Amino acid sequence: MGLATYARKRDFSSTPEPARGGRRGGRIFVVQLHHASHRHFDFRLELDGVLKSWAVPKGPSFDPAVKRLAMEVEDHPIAYATFEGDIPKGNYGAGHVDVFDSGTWEAIGDARTGLAAGELKFVLHGDVLRGSWVLVRTRRQGSKQQWLLIKHQDAYAGERDADAFVDPKTDRPIALAQRRKVWAGPRRRDRARRPRPPAAA
Ligand code: MN
């Protein structure tokens, strides 16, 4: 896809979003909480010099039974992974953006083949999002492609979803130290529900 669509939608003289840039060659992922006209989470995976991007209205769920709609959107520059702030009114995606989670990812199998086939399996190493996930393409609608983001059953599966890591009063991600605490200190009933880690495969 490249960055042409990304650039066409934006006027970099009036939005603080990066036009380009960022260090290539890694496998970073980022999730941003974006208070645009419709609140959503942006899920981004670095591949081939860009961030492949999906808008996930309800945010990722850690429950393998819950499939979250993920609308494929335009590739973003790698520099976008650290973007936080306000996109001013009148601009595409106007509203506040916070980084919700970041880290690295690894494809299970070949990422390009998986993307093309509409089934991309991967492991996330973030502060919030961890373990094994899949994106499954369900429908092509012209330029809008619809996918589902689904957690696989593993040691990180559970009934939580992304909003467990968001302050309900401010609707901003809770502090990183607190995000880590949510994982480190599950309530007793969460612990009872949490499946045992799978045997090494
Ligand atoms: Mn967005």
Side-chain angles (χ1 to χ4, degrees), residues 10 17 32-36 38 40-44 54-56 73 76 80 87 92-93 97:
R10 289 168 178 81
E17 296 166 287
Q32 282 148 319
L33 175 54
H34 186 180
H35 291 97
H38 298 280
H40 61 273
F41 292 75
D42 286 299
F43 182 77
R44 312 189 196 280
W54 292 260
V56 184
V73 298
H76 280 48
Y80 210 95
I87 302 169
Y92 180 73
V97 176

PDB file of all heavy atoms in Angstrom, residues 10 17 32-36 38 40-44 54-56 73 76 80 87 92-93 97, ligand 1:
ATOM      1  N   ARG A  10      -3.908  13.701   4.694  1.00  0.00           N
ATOM      2  CA  ARG A  10      -3.440  14.619   5.734  1.00  0.00           C
ATOM      3  C   ARG A  10      -2.768  15.864   5.160  1.00  0.00           C
ATOM      4  O   ARG A  10      -2.124  15.807   4.123  1.00  0.00           O
ATOM      5  CB  ARG A  10      -2.455  13.881   6.658  1.00  0.00           C
ATOM      6  CG  ARG A  10      -3.151  12.856   7.521  1.00  0.00           C
ATOM      7  CD  ARG A  10      -2.164  11.932   8.212  1.00  0.00           C
ATOM      8  NE  ARG A  10      -2.880  10.984   9.084  1.00  0.00           N
ATOM      9  CZ  ARG A  10      -3.466   9.874   8.633  1.00  0.00           C
ATOM     10  NH1 ARG A  10      -3.392   9.549   7.348  1.00  0.00           N
ATOM     11  NH2 ARG A  10      -4.120   9.084   9.470  1.00  0.00           N
ATOM     12  N   GLU A  17       0.877  15.078  13.213  1.00  0.00           N
ATOM     13  CA  GLU A  17       1.250  13.700  12.876  1.00  0.00           C
ATOM     14  C   GLU A  17       2.486  13.699  11.966  1.00  0.00           C
ATOM     15  O   GLU A  17       2.659  14.594  11.146  1.00  0.00           O
ATOM     16  CB  GLU A  17       0.092  13.004  12.155  1.00  0.00           C
ATOM     17  CG  GLU A  17      -1.141  12.846  13.018  1.00  0.00           C
ATOM     18  CD  GLU A  17      -2.339  12.485  12.162  1.00  0.00           C
ATOM     19  OE1 GLU A  17      -2.846  13.365  11.428  1.00  0.00           O
ATOM     20  OE2 GLU A  17      -2.751  11.330  12.218  1.00  0.00           O
ATOM     21  N   GLN A  32      -2.854   2.350  19.648  1.00  0.00           N
ATOM     22  CA  GLN A  32      -3.154   3.710  20.103  1.00  0.00           C
ATOM     23  C   GLN A  32      -4.643   3.833  20.395  1.00  0.00           C
ATOM     24  O   GLN A  32      -5.468   3.250  19.682  1.00  0.00           O
ATOM     25  CB  GLN A  32      -2.699   4.729  19.047  1.00  0.00           C
ATOM     26  CG  GLN A  32      -1.177   4.936  19.101  1.00  0.00           C
ATOM     27  CD  GLN A  32      -0.527   5.238  17.774  1.00  0.00           C
ATOM     28  OE1 GLN A  32      -0.868   4.645  16.756  1.00  0.00           O
ATOM     29  NE2 GLN A  32       0.460   6.139  17.778  1.00  0.00           N
ATOM     30  N   LEU A  33      -4.964   4.536  21.444  1.00  0.00           N
ATOM     31  CA  LEU A  33      -6.372   4.828  21.751  1.00  0.00           C
ATOM     32  C   LEU A  33      -6.667   6.190  21.141  1.00  0.00           C
ATOM     33  O   LEU A  33      -5.998   7.179  21.454  1.00  0.00           O
ATOM     34  CB  LEU A  33      -6.594   4.827  23.265  1.00  0.00           C
ATOM     35  CG  LEU A  33      -7.992   5.224  23.753  1.00  0.00           C
ATOM     36  CD1 LEU A  33      -9.098   4.393  23.102  1.00  0.00           C
ATOM     37  CD2 LEU A  33      -8.073   5.085  25.282  1.00  0.00           C
ATOM     38  N   HIS A  34      -7.643   6.214  20.252  1.00  0.00           N
ATOM     39  CA  HIS A  34      -7.883   7.393  19.420  1.00  0.00           C
ATOM     40  C   HIS A  34      -9.310   7.874  19.637  1.00  0.00           C
ATOM     41  O   HIS A  34     -10.270   7.193  19.279  1.00  0.00           O
ATOM     42  CB  HIS A  34      -7.645   7.001  17.955  1.00  0.00           C
ATOM     43  CG  HIS A  34      -7.707   8.135  16.992  1.00  0.00           C
ATOM     44  ND1 HIS A  34      -7.528   7.971  15.644  1.00  0.00           N
ATOM     45  CD2 HIS A  34      -7.925   9.469  17.181  1.00  0.00           C
ATOM     46  CE1 HIS A  34      -7.638   9.138  15.030  1.00  0.00           C
ATOM     47  NE2 HIS A  34      -7.883  10.064  15.947  1.00  0.00           N
ATOM     48  N   HIS A  35      -9.420   9.053  20.236  1.00  0.00           N
ATOM     49  CA  HIS A  35     -10.735   9.647  20.457  1.00  0.00           C
ATOM     50  C   HIS A  35     -11.125  10.516  19.263  1.00  0.00           C
ATOM     51  O   HIS A  35     -11.162  11.734  19.346  1.00  0.00           O
ATOM     52  CB  HIS A  35     -10.742  10.479  21.746  1.00  0.00           C
ATOM     53  CG  HIS A  35     -10.639   9.634  22.978  1.00  0.00           C
ATOM     54  ND1 HIS A  35      -9.448   9.414  23.635  1.00  0.00           N
ATOM     55  CD2 HIS A  35     -11.573   8.945  23.669  1.00  0.00           C
ATOM     56  CE1 HIS A  35      -9.663   8.629  24.675  1.00  0.00           C
ATOM     57  NE2 HIS A  35     -10.937   8.319  24.721  1.00  0.00           N
ATOM     58  N   ALA A  36     -11.359   9.851  18.139  1.00  0.00           N
ATOM     59  CA  ALA A  36     -11.829  10.555  16.940  1.00  0.00           C
ATOM     60  C   ALA A  36     -13.352  10.658  17.037  1.00  0.00           C
ATOM     61  O   ALA A  36     -13.917  10.446  18.106  1.00  0.00           O
ATOM     62  CB  ALA A  36     -11.388   9.800  15.703  1.00  0.00           C
ATOM     63  N   HIS A  38     -15.469   8.677  16.283  1.00  0.00           N
ATOM     64  CA  HIS A  38     -15.831   7.432  16.957  1.00  0.00           C
ATOM     65  C   HIS A  38     -14.587   6.914  17.668  1.00  0.00           C
ATOM     66  O   HIS A  38     -13.556   6.692  17.029  1.00  0.00           O
ATOM     67  CB  HIS A  38     -16.337   6.389  15.957  1.00  0.00           C
ATOM     68  CG  HIS A  38     -17.571   6.829  15.238  1.00  0.00           C
ATOM     69  ND1 HIS A  38     -18.821   6.737  15.815  1.00  0.00           N
ATOM     70  CD2 HIS A  38     -17.756   7.379  14.019  1.00  0.00           C
ATOM     71  CE1 HIS A  38     -19.727   7.214  14.968  1.00  0.00           C
ATOM     72  NE2 HIS A  38     -19.103   7.617  13.873  1.00  0.00           N
ATOM     73  N   HIS A  40     -11.917   4.598  19.061  1.00  0.00           N
ATOM     74  CA  HIS A  40     -11.448   3.284  18.630  1.00  0.00           C
ATOM     75  C   HIS A  40      -9.998   3.094  19.050  1.00  0.00           C
ATOM     76  O   HIS A  40      -9.342   4.037  19.505  1.00  0.00           O
ATOM     77  CB  HIS A  40     -11.579   3.137  17.101  1.00  0.00           C
ATOM     78  CG  HIS A  40     -10.770   4.152  16.348  1.00  0.00           C
ATOM     79  ND1 HIS A  40     -11.252   5.396  16.035  1.00  0.00           N
ATOM     80  CD2 HIS A  40      -9.507   4.115  15.855  1.00  0.00           C
ATOM     81  CE1 HIS A  40     -10.322   6.084  15.383  1.00  0.00           C
ATOM     82  NE2 HIS A  40      -9.248   5.327  15.269  1.00  0.00           N
ATOM     83  N   PHE A  41      -9.537   1.885  18.908  1.00  0.00           N
ATOM     84  CA  PHE A  41      -8.132   1.576  19.113  1.00  0.00           C
ATOM     85  C   PHE A  41      -7.519   1.329  17.734  1.00  0.00           C
ATOM     86  O   PHE A  41      -8.127   0.673  16.901  1.00  0.00           O
ATOM     87  CB  PHE A  41      -7.962   0.314  19.966  1.00  0.00           C
ATOM     88  CG  PHE A  41      -8.395   0.471  21.406  1.00  0.00           C
ATOM     89  CD1 PHE A  41      -9.743   0.502  21.744  1.00  0.00           C
ATOM     90  CD2 PHE A  41      -7.462   0.582  22.427  1.00  0.00           C
ATOM     91  CE1 PHE A  41     -10.149   0.642  23.060  1.00  0.00           C
ATOM     92  CE2 PHE A  41      -7.854   0.720  23.755  1.00  0.00           C
ATOM     93  CZ  PHE A  41      -9.196   0.753  24.072  1.00  0.00           C
ATOM     94  N   ASP A  42      -6.321   1.864  17.509  1.00  0.00           N
ATOM     95  CA  ASP A  42      -5.600   1.587  16.276  1.00  0.00           C
ATOM     96  C   ASP A  42      -4.532   0.551  16.563  1.00  0.00           C
ATOM     97  O   ASP A  42      -3.704   0.728  17.459  1.00  0.00           O
ATOM     98  CB  ASP A  42      -4.955   2.876  15.745  1.00  0.00           C
ATOM     99  CG  ASP A  42      -5.992   3.813  15.141  1.00  0.00           C
ATOM    100  OD1 ASP A  42      -6.644   3.411  14.173  1.00  0.00           O
ATOM    101  OD2 ASP A  42      -6.157   4.936  15.665  1.00  0.00           O
ATOM    102  N   PHE A  43      -4.580  -0.513  15.804  1.00  0.00           N
ATOM    103  CA  PHE A  43      -3.659  -1.632  15.989  1.00  0.00           C
ATOM    104  C   PHE A  43      -2.684  -1.633  14.815  1.00  0.00           C
ATOM    105  O   PHE A  43      -3.104  -1.659  13.664  1.00  0.00           O
ATOM    106  CB  PHE A  43      -4.478  -2.934  16.020  1.00  0.00           C
ATOM    107  CG  PHE A  43      -3.656  -4.162  16.250  1.00  0.00           C
ATOM    108  CD1 PHE A  43      -3.205  -4.466  17.526  1.00  0.00           C
ATOM    109  CD2 PHE A  43      -3.326  -5.004  15.205  1.00  0.00           C
ATOM    110  CE1 PHE A  43      -2.434  -5.600  17.754  1.00  0.00           C
ATOM    111  CE2 PHE A  43      -2.550  -6.131  15.422  1.00  0.00           C
ATOM    112  CZ  PHE A  43      -2.116  -6.429  16.701  1.00  0.00           C
ATOM    113  N   ARG A  44      -1.389  -1.576  15.106  1.00  0.00           N
ATOM    114  CA  ARG A  44      -0.403  -1.415  14.021  1.00  0.00           C
ATOM    115  C   ARG A  44       0.766  -2.388  14.193  1.00  0.00           C
ATOM    116  O   ARG A  44       1.322  -2.521  15.293  1.00  0.00           O
ATOM    117  CB  ARG A  44       0.144   0.010  14.015  1.00  0.00           C
ATOM    118  CG  ARG A  44      -0.935   1.093  14.105  1.00  0.00           C
ATOM    119  CD  ARG A  44      -0.346   2.471  13.873  1.00  0.00           C
ATOM    120  NE  ARG A  44      -1.260   3.531  14.312  1.00  0.00           N
ATOM    121  CZ  ARG A  44      -2.300   3.979  13.612  1.00  0.00           C
ATOM    122  NH1 ARG A  44      -2.567   3.449  12.434  1.00  0.00           N
ATOM    123  NH2 ARG A  44      -3.087   4.945  14.088  1.00  0.00           N
ATOM    124  N   TRP A  54      -4.966  -1.274  11.486  1.00  0.00           N
ATOM    125  CA  TRP A  54      -6.380  -1.634  11.581  1.00  0.00           C
ATOM    126  C   TRP A  54      -7.028  -0.778  12.671  1.00  0.00           C
ATOM    127  O   TRP A  54      -6.419  -0.555  13.731  1.00  0.00           O
ATOM    128  CB  TRP A  54      -6.550  -3.103  11.995  1.00  0.00           C
ATOM    129  CG  TRP A  54      -6.122  -4.107  10.975  1.00  0.00           C
ATOM    130  CD1 TRP A  54      -6.932  -4.789  10.116  1.00  0.00           C
ATOM    131  CD2 TRP A  54      -4.783  -4.601  10.718  1.00  0.00           C
ATOM    132  NE1 TRP A  54      -6.182  -5.650   9.338  1.00  0.00           N
ATOM    133  CE2 TRP A  54      -4.873  -5.552   9.684  1.00  0.00           C
ATOM    134  CE3 TRP A  54      -3.516  -4.305  11.259  1.00  0.00           C
ATOM    135  CZ2 TRP A  54      -3.752  -6.227   9.183  1.00  0.00           C
ATOM    136  CZ3 TRP A  54      -2.408  -4.968  10.761  1.00  0.00           C
ATOM    137  CH2 TRP A  54      -2.521  -5.917   9.732  1.00  0.00           C
ATOM    138  N   ALA A  55      -8.247  -0.328  12.429  1.00  0.00           N
ATOM    139  CA  ALA A  55      -9.017   0.371  13.460  1.00  0.00           C
ATOM    140  C   ALA A  55      -9.947  -0.644  14.121  1.00  0.00           C
ATOM    141  O   ALA A  55     -10.731  -1.307  13.442  1.00  0.00           O
ATOM    142  CB  ALA A  55      -9.821   1.511  12.837  1.00  0.00           C
ATOM    143  N   VAL A  56      -9.796  -0.777  15.429  1.00  0.00           N
ATOM    144  CA  VAL A  56     -10.556  -1.777  16.188  1.00  0.00           C
ATOM    145  C   VAL A  56     -11.511  -1.017  17.121  1.00  0.00           C
ATOM    146  O   VAL A  56     -11.088  -0.506  18.162  1.00  0.00           O
ATOM    147  CB  VAL A  56      -9.594  -2.674  17.010  1.00  0.00           C
ATOM    148  CG1 VAL A  56     -10.359  -3.786  17.716  1.00  0.00           C
ATOM    149  CG2 VAL A  56      -8.498  -3.251  16.114  1.00  0.00           C
ATOM    150  N   VAL A  73      -7.015  -0.102   7.606  1.00  0.00           N
ATOM    151  CA  VAL A  73      -6.875   1.293   7.183  1.00  0.00           C
ATOM    152  C   VAL A  73      -5.518   1.485   6.512  1.00  0.00           C
ATOM    153  O   VAL A  73      -4.745   0.529   6.382  1.00  0.00           O
ATOM    154  CB  VAL A  73      -7.077   2.281   8.371  1.00  0.00           C
ATOM    155  CG1 VAL A  73      -8.484   2.145   8.953  1.00  0.00           C
ATOM    156  CG2 VAL A  73      -6.026   2.081   9.437  1.00  0.00           C
ATOM    157  N   HIS A  76       0.692   3.348   7.856  1.00  0.00           N
ATOM    158  CA  HIS A  76       1.209   4.538   8.528  1.00  0.00           C
ATOM    159  C   HIS A  76       2.734   4.475   8.580  1.00  0.00           C
ATOM    160  O   HIS A  76       3.310   3.378   8.604  1.00  0.00           O
ATOM    161  CB  HIS A  76       0.654   4.617   9.961  1.00  0.00           C
ATOM    162  CG  HIS A  76      -0.751   5.153  10.045  1.00  0.00           C
ATOM    163  ND1 HIS A  76      -1.773   4.697   9.248  1.00  0.00           N
ATOM    164  CD2 HIS A  76      -1.292   6.106  10.850  1.00  0.00           C
ATOM    165  CE1 HIS A  76      -2.894   5.352   9.549  1.00  0.00           C
ATOM    166  NE2 HIS A  76      -2.632   6.216  10.518  1.00  0.00           N
ATOM    167  N   TYR A  80       4.955   6.922  13.331  1.00  0.00           N
ATOM    168  CA  TYR A  80       3.647   7.083  13.971  1.00  0.00           C
ATOM    169  C   TYR A  80       3.553   6.300  15.278  1.00  0.00           C
ATOM    170  O   TYR A  80       2.722   6.600  16.140  1.00  0.00           O
ATOM    171  CB  TYR A  80       2.525   6.645  13.029  1.00  0.00           C
ATOM    172  CG  TYR A  80       1.221   7.385  13.251  1.00  0.00           C
ATOM    173  CD1 TYR A  80       0.902   8.504  12.489  1.00  0.00           C
ATOM    174  CD2 TYR A  80       0.317   6.984  14.234  1.00  0.00           C
ATOM    175  CE1 TYR A  80      -0.282   9.200  12.692  1.00  0.00           C
ATOM    176  CE2 TYR A  80      -0.866   7.676  14.445  1.00  0.00           C
ATOM    177  CZ  TYR A  80      -1.162   8.782  13.670  1.00  0.00           C
ATOM    178  OH  TYR A  80      -2.330   9.483  13.885  1.00  0.00           O
ATOM    179  N   ILE A  87      -4.936  15.768  17.250  1.00  0.00           N
ATOM    180  CA  ILE A  87      -5.096  16.099  15.830  1.00  0.00           C
ATOM    181  C   ILE A  87      -6.172  17.180  15.789  1.00  0.00           C
ATOM    182  O   ILE A  87      -7.307  16.945  16.212  1.00  0.00           O
ATOM    183  CB  ILE A  87      -5.510  14.849  15.026  1.00  0.00           C
ATOM    184  CG1 ILE A  87      -4.452  13.728  15.206  1.00  0.00           C
ATOM    185  CG2 ILE A  87      -5.707  15.194  13.556  1.00  0.00           C
ATOM    186  CD1 ILE A  87      -4.886  12.369  14.671  1.00  0.00           C
ATOM    187  N   TYR A  92      -8.179  15.112   9.181  1.00  0.00           N
ATOM    188  CA  TYR A  92      -8.582  13.703   9.160  1.00  0.00           C
ATOM    189  C   TYR A  92      -8.270  13.068  10.523  1.00  0.00           C
ATOM    190  O   TYR A  92      -7.168  13.198  11.043  1.00  0.00           O
ATOM    191  CB  TYR A  92      -7.814  12.989   8.047  1.00  0.00           C
ATOM    192  CG  TYR A  92      -8.130  11.534   7.924  1.00  0.00           C
ATOM    193  CD1 TYR A  92      -9.340  11.107   7.395  1.00  0.00           C
ATOM    194  CD2 TYR A  92      -7.219  10.576   8.351  1.00  0.00           C
ATOM    195  CE1 TYR A  92      -9.637   9.767   7.286  1.00  0.00           C
ATOM    196  CE2 TYR A  92      -7.502   9.224   8.241  1.00  0.00           C
ATOM    197  CZ  TYR A  92      -8.711   8.828   7.714  1.00  0.00           C
ATOM    198  OH  TYR A  92      -9.002   7.495   7.605  1.00  0.00           O
ATOM    199  N   GLY A  93      -9.260  12.401  11.124  1.00  0.00           N
ATOM    200  CA  GLY A  93      -9.034  11.737  12.414  1.00  0.00           C
ATOM    201  C   GLY A  93      -8.887  12.697  13.577  1.00  0.00           C
ATOM    202  O   GLY A  93      -8.261  12.360  14.590  1.00  0.00           O
ATOM    203  N   VAL A  97      -4.982  11.311  20.660  1.00  0.00           N
ATOM    204  CA  VAL A  97      -4.344   9.997  20.477  1.00  0.00           C
ATOM    205  C   VAL A  97      -3.392   9.738  21.639  1.00  0.00           C
ATOM    206  O   VAL A  97      -2.575  10.600  21.978  1.00  0.00           O
ATOM    207  CB  VAL A  97      -3.548   9.940  19.149  1.00  0.00           C
ATOM    208  CG1 VAL A  97      -2.815   8.613  19.011  1.00  0.00           C
ATOM    209  CG2 VAL A  97      -4.460  10.182  17.949  1.00  0.00           C
TER     210      VAL A  97
HETATM  211 MN    MN B   1      -7.444   6.075  14.403  1.00  0.00          MN
END
